[in-house]
Amino acid sequence: MQQATTSPQPHDSRSFFAQLALLSGLGVLLNQMPLSLFFGVHLLLGSIPAVLMVLLWRSWWSVPMATLASLATIPLWGHPYAVLIFTAEAAWLCWACRHWLTNREPLSHRIILFSIVFWVAIGTPLVFATYQGLLGISTTNTTLIAVKQSVNGVLNTTAAYLIAISLNAGSRQSRSSGIAIRNLITGLTLILVLTSYLLATTLSSRQIGRSITLAERDRLSLVASITSQLAKANALDNTVLNSLGDSIAVEVTSNNGPTISSNPAQFAQVYRNFTVGAAPVPGIQGLSFYRPQQTMPALKSWVSGYWSFTTTVHTSDRTSFRVTVLEPAAEMVLRLQKEGSHLLASLAVLILLSYLLSVLLSRWFREEFQRVLSPFISNSPNDQASLPLHSLGGSSIDELSMVVDVVNERIATANQLTQDLAHLSRTDPLTNCLNRREMYRVLEQHTHHLQRADGSLICITIDLDHFKQINDTYGHEAGDAVLVAITQRLHERLRRS
């Protein structure tokens, strides 16, 4: 393997470090604004500036940039292991680009392939080793995290690649050198496919999460309603509460009576060690969620939490009952996470397929252009300057074929004009014989040839007697006619060779 030379950094070191500081700050800011994809899953965009630095400058400064930006994940997710994974991603991308990309392809789409390779071979094993091995997170949760971070990493790399292409298109250098067709086609294909599918995935996943959460709210609401009716009828006791379900705990508090609970220990533990907050899916009225006060990864806290639904009923004798229903959230949260894993897995497959599709499309377009230009472009500089000009090749693309037809028509006209001009520069326009300059060139060429071959050359000179008298008596037109007639007779009697 031949190691590629690294891309040069900006000549002005102050400008370089100013851009480095700007991109680092942008990475930190982007990680402070996570995008909620669906329940318990957020997309972080902070690695985009680091990947952008890899694409533009192949600089190892991208590694500490990624580390700095990923520090925001510690308070967000409750552990430092994501910093290790994102730092390893930046180091891998920088190393791969410096070793496998040349300066002639600084904005190669292969960086997306490098990102896919990292998450398949390095990133996913690191996620399982840290999240499941060190943090003790369940296999379902860890799988969701691995798929989510893989999709997030490849999406960020793709976004950085598209931004780099846009920056290159607007730079002065690109206006003189142009943009490679493979980069343009790859970028457009990825934008169209990923943007539409990511939007559809986000909307559908949120709808799934909302539907499942509404079903949970309705289930707990039904239990609370039944309990309230029994309380109003004074038909409520611990035996009745225990019959409502093994996983459900119910507590009924009256303003003028004792508190009845199906599981007092569980309610005491929840009130003491958990913090009540909004439901994971916003907009569900009446449903609350108790999360552990203990610091732990976000997804693990959702699994360890409790759903809570509370309602208050009043009787005619001014007695009020407050009914609280608790249920462990693990079953439904894991169901939501499983659905999320399926959606993210389909997104990961689509990313891979869209990348392969974009590469195939860009290669096909490039081959079409090469097929069109191949007759016109020669490897020999002497052939490139030769005349006549070659016509362009055909294309299976209608629009490109129309351009080829127009250009070939212009080439044919240019070849004809060039041929006419060359003929006029070598011959006399009246007699169609060689002019003096061309005659001297031909004589010199034959002389050199005969000197090398030790041959001889015979020249015949013809003089027309009384030609001036013809011009004076009958005019120059008659003299021109005499010259044309004589040259025709000579052409008829001389060999073509």
Side-chain angles (χ1 to χ4, degrees):
M1 178 186 67
Q2 183 178 359
Q3 180 172 341
T5 56
T6 59
S7 297
Q9 295 180 355
H11 296 293
D12 188 356
S13 59
R14 288 181 298 180
S15 173
F16 172 74
F17 284 106
Q19 295 177 53
L20 175 64
L22 178 63
L23 290 175
S24 300
L26 182 60
V28 174
L29 180 63
L30 289 175
N31 272 348
Q32 297 294 332
M33 300 182 295
L35 300 178
S36 177
L37 189 59
F38 50 86
F39 168 78
V41 175
H42 301 85
L43 291 181
L44 299 180
L45 306 179
S47 65
I48 293 178
V51 180
L52 192 60
M53 171 160 281
V54 173
L55 277 168
L56 296 178
W57 297 314
R58 308 282 199 275
S59 173
W60 286 108
W61 282 102
S62 59
V63 179
M65 276 181 58
T67 303
L68 179 63
S70 60
L71 291 176
T73 62
I74 297 178
L76 181 64
W77 294 337
H79 61 83
Y81 299 112
V83 179
L84 170 66
I85 297 173
F86 295 150
T87 301
E89 179 192 19
W92 160 261
L93 290 178
C94 187
W95 180 85
C97 288
R98 291 170 68 97
H99 281 73
W100 286 317
L101 296 184
T102 64
N103 289 336
R104 288 182 295 180
E105 50 173 357
L107 299 181
S108 174
H109 57 76
R110 287 196 289 167
I111 191 172
I112 302 175
L113 179 61
F114 297 157
S115 179
I116 295 174
V117 171
F118 169 81
W119 285 107
V120 171
I122 303 175
T124 299
L126 278 177
V127 169
F128 275 91
T130 54
Y131 283 77
Q132 190 173 28
L134 298 179
L135 296 176
I137 297 179
S138 65
T139 303
T140 301
N141 267 332
T142 305
T143 302
L144 175 63
I145 295 170
V147 177
K148 175 262 172 184
Q149 291 193 5
S150 300
V151 170
N152 198 166
V154 177
L155 282 177
N156 286 354
T157 302
T158 304
Y161 171 72
L162 298 176
I163 294 173
I165 290 178
S166 303
L167 294 175
N168 185 65
S171 65
R172 295 180 180 178
Q173 182 180 1
S174 69
R175 287 196 287 268
S176 60
S177 61
I179 303 176
I181 186 67
R182 61 181 181 274
N183 291 337
L184 183 61
I185 297 298
T186 302
L188 291 177
T189 304
L190 291 173
I191 287 176
L192 293 176
V193 175
L194 294 183
T195 302
S196 58
Y197 190 81
L198 184 61
L199 180 61
T201 301
T202 302
L203 294 177
S204 62
S205 60
R206 289 182 178 180
Q207 186 60 38
I208 291 173
R210 183 174 180 82
S211 299
I212 295 177
T213 308
L214 281 172
E216 178 69 18
R217 193 273 309 270
D218 294 341
R219 181 168 174 266
L220 296 183
S221 175
L222 178 61
V223 174
S225 177
I226 295 174
T227 305
S228 301
Q229 297 301 322
L230 292 174
K232 291 173 65 176
N234 293 323
L236 190 65
D237 55 24
N238 289 333
T239 303
V240 174
L241 291 180
N242 292 330
S243 66
L244 295 176
D246 296 334
S247 62
I248 295 178
V250 182
E251 182 182 73
V252 180
T253 305
S254 174
N255 61 344
N256 57 5
T259 298
I260 303 175
S261 174
S262 64
N263 194 336
Q266 186 177 23
F267 274 96
Q269 179 187 6
V270 169
Y271 292 151
R272 183 175 61 254
N273 300 324
F274 288 72
T275 302
V276 67
V281 178
I284 309 296
Q285 295 183 355
L287 189 66
S288 300
F289 194 84
Y290 280 91
R291 298 181 62 176
Q293 296 178 2
Q294 178 184 358
T295 301
M296 63 179 61
L299 289 178
K300 190 174 182 179
S301 69
W302 293 121
V303 176
S304 304
Y306 288 86
W307 296 110
S308 172
F309 185 85
T310 302
T311 185
T312 302
V313 295
H314 302 276
T315 62
S316 58
D317 59 353
R318 296 185 179 181
T319 301
S320 62
F321 296 94
R322 184 173 181 270
V323 180
T324 302
V325 183
L326 280 180
E327 183 179 28
E331 181 179 355
M332 206 235 15
V333 169
L334 290 176
R335 181 182 172 189
L336 281 171
Q337 291 175 354
K338 186 177 181 180
E339 294 292 336
S341 298
H342 292 161
L343 289 171
L344 283 174
S346 63
L347 181 58
V349 172
L350 183 73
I351 290 175
L352 180 60
L353 293 179
S354 61
Y355 172 73
L356 295 176
L357 176 62
S358 65
V359 171
L360 292 176
L361 279 177
S362 62
R363 182 174 299 176
W364 178 68
F365 271 96
R366 187 180 185 187
E367 290 176 352
E368 283 293 313
F369 278 93
Q370 288 178 342
R371 186 169 66 178
V372 167
L373 297 175
S374 58
F376 190 73
I377 300 176
S378 173
N379 294 328
S380 173
N382 295 328
D383 293 342
Q384 292 179 3
S386 64
L387 295 173
L389 299 175
H390 297 287
S391 298
L392 299 179
S395 173
S396 57
I397 304 176
D398 291 340
E399 291 76 8
L400 187 56
S401 181
M402 292 172 60
V403 174
V404 168
D405 292 340
V406 173
V407 173
N408 283 342
E409 183 179 346
R410 300 293 189 273
I411 289 176
T413 302
N415 285 338
Q416 184 61 45
L417 293 175
T418 302
Q419 185 178 357
D420 295 342
L421 182 61
H423 180 73
L424 290 175
S425 67
R426 296 193 303 266
T427 60
D428 177 67
L430 177 62
T431 62
N432 204 27
C433 293
L434 299 181
N435 57 25
R436 177 181 297 180
R437 185 181 62 181
E438 184 67 12
M439 182 183 66
Y440 285 159
R441 188 191 68 79
V442 172
L443 286 174
E444 184 178 3
Q445 179 181 355
H446 283 286
T447 300
H448 289 310
H449 175 70
L450 292 172
Q451 286 178 350
R452 289 194 301 270
D454 196 18
S456 59
L457 179 65
I458 299 175
C459 295
I460 301 176
T461 303
I462 300 176
D463 179 50
L464 300 181
D465 294 336
H466 310 295
F467 182 71
K468 184 177 182 304
Q469 184 177 355
I470 295 174
N471 282 333
D472 295 341
T473 303
Y474 301 102
H476 289 282
E477 291 184 358
D480 291 344
V482 171
L483 291 175
V484 171
I486 292 175
T487 54
Q488 288 179 349
R489 296 288 180 87
L490 291 174
H491 277 300
E492 293 171 358
R493 287 165 173 75
L494 294 176
R495 291 182 304 176
R496 293 289 181 181
S497 60

